[in-house]
Amino acid sequence: MATSKVCVVVVSGTLERLQMAAMVASVAAVSGQEVLVFLSMNALSYFVKGDDSKAPHEGEMGALMADKKIPAFKMLFEQAVELGDAKIFPCSMAMDVLGVEQEGIEDYLENATGLTKFLHDAQDGQVWTF
Amino acid sequence: MAERKIVDGRGSFCPGPLMELIVALKSSQVGDELEVLSTDKGSVNDIPEWINKVGHEYIATTEADGVWHIMMRKAK
């Protein structure tokens, strides 16, 4: 079984990128790989409790996806944690900018983490950026 | 006594059928057979790949009326 670590950095707030990031994280996690996800910039606000805003699409694919039975990206991230070995870290800088405390973030996310720690944890893994 | 379960992933897109299979595996016993129904062609290649990668037993895939039936046995 593969053991290589998969690190996913998500900064975009658009549907296609959030969806692809969630697919990579969830499939890697349920395939036995250690997964670390870092949520920052426009990606973080979707993980604030009570936020049910829809991610805007970038192009044709995102528009087509809206009408199809595609697993929601937030559900896939949650399944990555529950069914696999994934940890999802909200960026502490993005939390400060949004003015959100840890209690305001979805419970399946880890404690806020800074870039320095994430870079350290990611240095022996693959890094995927969305 | 080994059971046989149907996991209905019809209409869902990648990786929906795979995630539904994994949820069903969590509540299954070693030796149980699971049959995933999928209309997503990508899952037809991906699910056997996953089954072999994580060490379960892949049995067979059949297709009827646009629905694929992917059969496996829980091995651990």
Side-chain angles (χ1 to χ4, degrees), chain A residues 31-93:
Chain A
S31 299
Q33 291 178 277
E34 182 185 357
V35 175
L36 304 178
V37 179
F38 190 65
L39 299 175
S40 188
M41 302 298 172
N42 297 318
L44 185 63
S45 62
Y46 299 102
F47 298 85
V48 173
K49 279 179 189 164
D51 181 287
D52 57 359
S53 57
K54 291 230 183 310
H57 59 81
E58 284 184 7
E60 188 189 3
M61 182 63 72
L64 288 170
M65 279 163 50
D67 302 329
K68 299 218 164 31
K69 201 174 150 194
I70 307 272
F73 67 84
K74 284 175 77 172
M75 187 187 82
L76 288 175
F77 277 122
E78 190 167 2
Q79 287 182 327
V81 173
E82 286 181 357
L83 303 174
D85 186 15
K87 289 191 171 71
I88 304 177
F89 300 95
C91 166
S92 50
M93 176 278 258

Side-chain angles (χ1 to χ4, degrees), chain A residues 1-2 19 23 26-27 30-33 68-71 76 79-80 82-83, chain B residues 9-16 18-20 22-23 26 50 53-55 76:
Chain A
M1 184 184 289
Q19 190 72 29
M23 288 166 71
S26 59
V27 174
V30 299
S31 299
Q33 291 178 277
K68 299 218 164 31
K69 201 174 150 194
I70 307 272
L76 288 175
Q79 287 182 327
E82 286 181 357
L83 303 174
Chain B
R10 287 178 295 178
S12 183
F13 288 78
C14 169
L18 172 64
M19 294 315 225
E20 290 179 35
I22 293 164
V23 170
K26 289 260 171 190
W50 179 85
K53 186 177 181 185
V54 302
K76 57 179 189 169

Side-chain angles (χ1 to χ4, degrees), chain B:
Chain B
M1 181 72 190
E3 285 184 48
R4 187 179 181 89
K5 290 185 187 174
I6 303 286
V7 179
D8 191 353
R10 287 178 295 178
S12 183
F13 288 78
C14 169
L18 172 64
M19 294 315 225
E20 290 179 35
L21 169 63
I22 293 164
V23 170
L25 275 166
K26 289 260 171 190
S27 61
S28 300
Q29 306 296 319
V30 171
D32 286 355
E33 285 184 13
L34 291 94
E35 178 175 341
V36 185
L37 310 186
S38 177
T39 49
D40 173 52
K41 210 170 178 181
S43 298
V44 179
N45 297 320
D46 263 9
I47 290 177
E49 182 82 24
W50 179 85
I51 292 166
N52 290 326
K53 186 177 181 185
V54 302
H56 292 298
E57 185 186 337
Y58 171 61
I59 300 172
T61 301
T62 60
E63 190 260 326
D65 300 325
V67 179
W68 280 271
H69 299 246
I70 305 155
M71 278 147 297
M72 63 155 294
R73 188 173 293 113
K74 180 166 173 158
K76 57 179 189 169

